[in-house]
Amino acid sequence: MSGPVLNLLFLGDVVGKGGRRAVAAMVPRLKQKYNCQFAIVNAENCAAGAGMNLSCLREMPGVDVFTSGDHVWDRKEFPQEIEGIRNVLRPANMSRVQPGKGWDKFRNPAGGDVAVISLIGKVFMKESAYCPFETAEQILTQIPITVKCIVVDFHAEATSEKLAMAAFLDGKVTAVLGTHTHVQTADARILPGGTAAITDAGMVGGADSILGRNVEDVLRKFRTGMPAKLEVVETNIRCEGVVISYELNTGRAVSITPVSEMYDPEKEI
Ligand SMILES: [Fe+2]
Ligand SMILES: [Fe+2]
């Protein structure tokens, strides 16, 4: 290990108002608990369970960077709004005519810069997306050499595609963190080249839900095949993600710790 080690917090897809409320309270709490000065949160489901907009993002001021995914444009106001928000990313490998940006570098108050890259998968997902592997390769050539910490949110369905991306970027980035399935996987680890990886970080959403939606509604939809409104579960929220520890001087990950904590509104700060 060389030099100082910094920690950063990453949380999976935030679902609805309950998720936003939990993030607002829990990000400062988790930053303190894990000694993190930097937090990245996937916000693609933060507006009523599908999409995102400026007013919802403003409810989560402790977050340093918001990433997204297939639901990024679900709110009609967001394509306009995204141009004015510095710390939000849409997947980098979508059409170049789409507004917003797919990666950027951000100052970590604890030291150095953090480059964050948002990518979307193609398998069972966005077949119209450009190759996420080629896009990742291109972005890596654009990131200044002085930026050592690089975090990739790979928003994808297939575990195979996510594992392949982690292997592809091992040794080139600090972390490859999967999102989209809303279910935290038990495979958090440091790859041989020094990249932290987890197939899916999980979600910030109802603990007693199906991916953040009402169990009965989802069951009815599966059993009848009829269109159904799937209510967002706004209570009993679990916050899931990971804490990454990395060397400031090299960007190499030294540990990845899964986080899965219930949000207790009584303890609001
Ligand atoms: Fe999601
Ligand atoms: Fe998604």
Side-chain angles (χ1 to χ4, degrees):
M1 200 179 291
S2 65
V5 170
L6 302 185
N7 307 310
L8 67 80
L9 175 69
F10 181 95
L11 295 179
D13 306 31
V14 178
V15 186
K17 186 191 283 190
R20 299 199 302 272
R21 221 182 276 136
V23 166
M26 290 296 281
V27 165
R29 240 182 263 173
L30 293 169
K31 275 182 167 176
Q32 195 172 20
K33 179 173 176 180
Y34 293 99
N35 189 26
C36 302
Q37 270 76 50
F38 199 84
I40 305 165
V41 172
N42 189 304
E44 71 147 10
N45 305 108
C46 76
M52 51 215 279
N53 62 21
L54 182 57
S55 78
C56 289
L57 297 178
R58 281 197 173 136
E59 290 178 28
M60 301 179 280
V63 177
D64 297 275
V65 180
F66 294 101
T67 52
S68 59
D70 52 313
H71 289 290
V72 60
W73 307 128
D74 283 6
R75 300 292 297 219
K76 64 180 186 321
E77 64 274 26
F78 200 56
Q80 285 271 321
E81 292 178 345
I82 194 171
E83 302 282 17
I85 317 173
R86 210 189 75 80
N87 65 337
V88 64
L89 303 175
R90 51 103 170 139
N93 55 323
M94 298 202 296
S95 167
R96 291 179 193 94
V97 303
Q98 292 196 4
K101 58 191 172 183
W103 77 274
D104 206 349
K105 62 186 174 72
F106 304 89
R107 195 83 202 141
N108 183 349
D113 284 332
V114 179
V116 184
I117 304 172
S118 174
L119 291 171
I120 195 163
K122 289 182 67 128
V123 180
F124 309 132
M125 186 59 134
K126 282 270 182 229
E127 285 173 7
S128 62
Y130 293 113
C131 173
F133 298 88
E134 278 181 20
T135 304
E137 237 173 0
Q138 283 163 7
I139 292 169
L140 290 183
T141 66
Q142 294 165 35
I143 296 175
I145 191 83
T146 50
V147 179
K148 301 298 181 192
C149 180
I150 304 172
V151 177
V152 176
D153 174 347
F154 191 29
H155 195 81
E157 181 77 50
T159 50
S160 56
E161 195 177 19
K162 295 200 251 193
L163 291 171
M165 182 62 76
F168 181 63
L169 296 178
D170 183 24
K172 300 189 181 90
V173 305
T174 305
V176 178
L177 309 172
T179 56
H180 176 69
T181 72
H182 293 207
V183 177
Q184 189 176 73
T185 54
D187 63 338
R189 72 223 179 276
I190 305 292
L191 298 173
T195 295
I198 187 168
T199 301
D200 207 291
M203 71 169 173
V204 181
D208 309 306
S209 76
I210 295 176
L211 312 190
R213 304 292 179 142
N214 178 277
V215 173
E216 292 303 317
D217 293 349
V218 176
L219 256 182
R220 195 177 312 115
K221 187 174 181 191
F222 272 116
R223 297 199 64 203
T224 64
M226 297 294 287
K229 188 166 169 23
L230 308 177
E231 288 293 339
V232 174
V233 174
E234 310 283 16
T235 54
N236 228 8
I237 303 294
R238 181 176 287 282
C239 284
E240 291 177 330
V242 289
V243 172
I244 308 290
S245 302
Y246 65 96
E247 295 174 353
L248 173 63
N249 298 335
T250 65
R252 197 182 163 95
V254 294
S255 70
I256 174 168
T257 308
V259 170
S260 181
E261 292 197 15
M262 290 302 294
Y263 161 53
D264 179 359
E266 299 298 306
K267 279 207 257 167
E268 196 117 27
I269 47 175

